[in-house]
Amino acid sequence: MQTNFTLTQLANADYRDSEAILRKCVHCGFCTATCPTYVLLGDELDSPRGRIYQIKDMLEKGGPPTEHQVKHVDRCLSCLSCMTTCPSGVNYMHLVDHARAHIEATHA
């Protein structure tokens, strides 16, 4: 996945790690079959793949996330079953943790 982080953002270790993780994702969709919220709700935005797009957008833009982004990140159960099926080795745990920290720090 292509990313567009600023040099200032990449000076931060969490952003550097998140950028490297985002670049590993090839959006194959294997994660969707093991994600309980996607299986239950059937909404792409409630799958790891959908959340990865939202997390990328949220982190690249900086500032407060939208209510829409917060809702879908919050729905993640952190079961990390997506990580067991990912052929690219995407460390989803770090991404969702970084997203939650960003939400906590910037969301009103």
Side-chain angles (χ1 to χ4, degrees):
M1 167 186 284
Q2 182 178 344
T3 60
N4 295 300
F5 290 100
T6 66
L7 292 176
T8 303
Q9 288 172 317
L10 293 175
N12 178 295
D14 284 331
Y15 278 86
R16 273 194 314 274
D17 291 346
S18 290
E19 193 237 6
I21 294 164
L22 287 165
R23 287 181 172 270
K24 281 185 154 187
C25 182
V26 297
H27 303 287
C28 63
F30 289 153
C31 58
T32 60
T34 60
C35 177
T37 54
Y38 177 75
V39 170
L40 179 67
L41 301 173
D43 185 345
E44 176 72 16
L45 296 176
D46 287 317
S47 73
R49 181 172 63 181
R51 288 186 190 103
I52 285 172
Y53 275 114
Q54 293 176 87
I55 291 167
K56 175 187 176 294
D57 183 59
M58 177 178 55
L59 294 177
E60 283 179 343
K61 287 182 180 174
T66 66
E67 291 295 325
H68 184 75
Q69 291 167 327
V70 172
K71 175 178 81 172
H72 292 291
V73 170
D74 280 350
R75 285 183 177 172
C76 176
L77 303 175
S78 296
C79 67
L80 306 178
S81 62
C82 56
M83 288 180 60
T84 65
T85 60
C86 180
S88 300
V90 172
N91 185 346
Y92 181 78
M93 180 179 65
H94 175 81
L95 284 179
V96 79
D97 286 349
H98 188 187
R100 287 180 172 147
H102 178 79
I103 290 168
E104 184 177 334
T106 61
H107 186 60

